[in-house]
Amino acid sequence: MGFKDGLITIDMDTYKPLREIVFTTMRQAIIDGDFKPGQRLMEVQLADQMGVSRTPVREAIRKLELEGLVIMVPRKGAYVAGLSSEDIKEVVEIRAVLEGFAAKKASLNSTEQDIERLEEMLIRFQEAASENNVLNLINYDAEFHDVIYKSTKNSKLIQMINGLKEQVQRYRVAYFTQVHNTDMLLKQHRSMLDAIKSKDGNLARQIAEEHIATTEELIAIIEEKNSEKE
């Protein structure tokens, strides 16, 4: 399944029911930012693109509405739900606590392989920044944090963080497509990694919390756009 050249495609080589494939594909397209906030979701067009009937598309839209990813506008149809500044603030508050704890645990439990992987992600992130490759920036930022989570060796913590993963991904996409402050993020990643390598858990935690809390620019952009719509 995927999104290519403006068209959404699905992988039919699976044992999952068709309605589940369509739902998962559309859901991922929203999370990854392929379907933009405010974009109208037209059943006929989506069904034609995916080569399915309108029924599984209609069912997917209803489920996405229940998840808060789609809003229904009377007499107009279905639209991708936007990110509000309040949504971001709430996710950031929770994530900062979890990421801070993860960084502290990683400073105690990370292996040489974990450190090497984090170093690799920093190099790739820097290369993506120099090339202004937004997709790679998103992927390498996500991978950097994923390595930290896994290096904690705390399955419950990883499970809790994964519960926020989709909301964090929507925020991450919005950040890298609208803010572009990669120099600051790179410095914060380097500082976090240095603290983890030196096994300074308290410093790693502090840097991680400050890193996650860096949302002012994105919040300002979103609030400005929302005010323009009013």
Side-chain angles (χ1 to χ4, degrees):
M1 70 185 77
F3 194 91
K4 185 178 181 181
D5 299 329
L7 297 176
I8 190 168
T9 59
I10 61 176
D11 181 8
M12 302 299 290
D13 186 21
T14 178
Y15 294 106
K16 295 180 180 179
L18 180 60
R19 64 180 180 275
E20 186 176 341
I21 298 173
V22 172
F23 166 70
T24 302
T25 303
M26 291 178 60
R27 188 171 187 263
Q28 198 62 46
I30 292 173
I31 291 168
D32 290 342
D34 296 322
F35 288 166
K36 309 298 181 186
Q39 179 177 336
R40 187 178 179 186
L41 299 177
M42 303 178 68
E43 288 182 14
V44 174
Q45 183 182 31
L46 290 168
D48 288 344
Q49 289 177 355
M50 290 187 280
V52 300
S53 70
R54 293 173 61 181
T55 300
V57 174
R58 187 179 304 118
E59 291 177 353
I61 288 174
R62 287 172 181 165
K63 289 180 68 176
L64 291 167
E65 182 187 13
L66 292 175
E67 289 196 353
L69 294 175
V70 165
I71 57 173
M72 300 299 298
V73 180
R75 296 183 297 278
K76 290 188 177 181
Y79 292 81
V80 177
L83 273 174
S84 71
S85 57
E86 195 60 36
D87 290 333
I88 293 175
K89 289 174 184 176
E90 289 179 356
V91 171
V92 166
E93 285 177 348
I94 299 170
R95 188 185 174 203
V97 174
L98 295 176
E99 294 257 2
F101 182 69
K104 183 173 184 178
K105 291 290 290 184
S107 69
L108 300 174
N109 297 332
S110 58
T111 63
E112 283 188 24
Q113 289 75 20
D114 294 327
I115 298 300
E116 288 173 3
R117 184 63 175 163
L118 288 170
E119 292 280 7
E120 179 185 355
M121 287 304 102
L122 279 187
I123 293 172
R124 293 190 179 185
F125 186 91
Q126 189 168 19
E127 290 173 348
S130 65
E131 297 167 359
N132 197 27
N133 188 321
V134 174
L135 180 59
N136 282 347
L137 283 169
I138 292 168
N139 290 337
Y140 296 143
D141 179 74
E143 180 65 19
F144 180 86
H145 288 278
D146 282 345
V147 174
I148 292 177
Y149 307 153
K150 293 172 185 175
S151 68
T152 66
K153 312 299 188 289
N154 187 317
S155 60
K156 296 301 180 183
L157 174 62
I158 294 170
Q159 185 179 6
M160 292 175 71
I161 291 175
N162 283 341
L164 288 174
K165 203 164 192 176
E166 285 148 2
Q167 297 177 63
V168 169
Q169 182 68 358
R170 288 197 82 197
Y171 156 73
R172 181 178 279 123
V173 170
Y175 187 93
F176 282 108
T177 55
Q178 299 183 56
V179 178
H180 314 296
N181 196 347
T182 54
D183 288 342
M184 178 189 66
L185 294 183
L186 186 61
K187 290 177 182 177
Q188 291 173 336
H189 281 183
R190 167 51 64 188
S191 297
M192 201 185 317
L193 175 53
D194 288 345
I196 291 173
K197 287 169 65 176
S198 63
K199 299 191 179 301
D200 190 335
N202 290 329
L203 179 59
R205 181 176 195 162
Q206 178 186 339
I207 294 170
E209 290 176 349
E210 292 174 354
H211 171 61
I212 299 304
T214 309
T215 60
E216 292 85 358
E217 290 177 271
L218 178 59
I219 290 172
I221 290 171
I222 289 175
E223 288 180 341
E224 181 180 352
K225 288 185 176 181
N226 289 341
S227 64
E228 290 173 355
K229 294 177 183 177
E230 294 177 355

